Amino acid sequence: MEIDLIRYFLPDELLNYFDVIKVEKAKDEALNRDVLHIYLDEKNELRSVEDTLSFESKGFLPVKQIQDFPIRGKAVFLCIRMRRWRNKTEPNHIVQNDYSFIADGAKLTKEIAAFLKSTGRDPSRYH
């Protein structure tokens, strides 16, 4: 039930490529407030190469933590695991999908980075 509800707060483009695995509420002692961690795993679909049959999914890359819009006063962190794909004939050839909804050089989604930019705040100070 909780996972179904959280989908209403996430961008559609994110849900096209990732599955919500779990949602955890935690206490951030430094900020003295509750935070939400939303865990997402990339779907098993390779789109960054044309010959997808030559590649196989070989686990996940390390988790990327990205700050998103707060929900009901709680900071929200998307904990995203992207798949790594290995070429079946050239095992050292590893690829991954590219996602444009993650702002370059920031640990924020593009939506929140654009919002902060429009308000005159510097998104680079939000990690």
Side-chain angles (χ1 to χ4, degrees):
M1 176 71 159
E2 190 174 78
I3 289 176
D4 291 332
L5 288 175
I6 206 69
R7 294 176 196 276
Y8 288 106
F9 295 97
L10 297 174
D12 289 336
E13 59 189 0
L14 184 70
L15 296 174
N16 289 337
Y17 305 115
F18 293 87
D19 292 318
V20 178
I21 303 304
K22 66 179 175 178
V23 178
E24 289 182 345
K25 183 175 121 181
K27 184 76 166 181
D28 186 328
E29 298 300 330
L31 299 174
N32 194 26
R33 67 176 185 175
D34 290 334
V35 298
L36 291 176
H37 292 273
I38 302 171
Y39 293 87
L40 301 125
D41 282 354
E42 182 178 19
K43 293 181 180 183
N44 196 5
E45 300 169 11
L46 178 61
R47 291 170 308 283
S48 62
V49 297
E50 289 188 25
D51 183 17
T52 58
L53 296 178
S54 297
F55 289 84
E56 59 187 343
S57 176
K58 281 298 187 183
F60 293 93
L61 297 168
V63 172
K64 283 189 177 184
Q65 187 169 314
I66 301 165
Q67 187 173 5
D68 199 13
F69 282 104
I71 298 175
R72 304 292 270 165
K74 293 175 182 55
V76 174
F77 295 95
L78 307 177
C79 303
I80 297 177
R81 288 194 322 163
M82 294 188 284
R83 292 184 183 274
R84 67 183 192 99
W85 301 86
R86 183 181 74 176
N87 188 302
K88 293 177 185 176
T89 58
E90 297 176 47
N92 291 334
H93 184 201
I94 304 292
V95 297
Q96 66 187 53
N97 288 315
D98 180 36
Y99 296 102
S100 61
F101 56 81
I102 299 173
D104 290 335
K107 294 184 179 180
L108 307 167
T109 60
K110 273 192 176 179
E111 288 178 339
I112 195 167
F115 171 77
L116 292 172
K117 185 176 179 181
S118 71
T119 63
R121 297 184 182 173
D122 179 13
S124 66
R125 69 184 178 119
Y126 295 91
H127 299 292

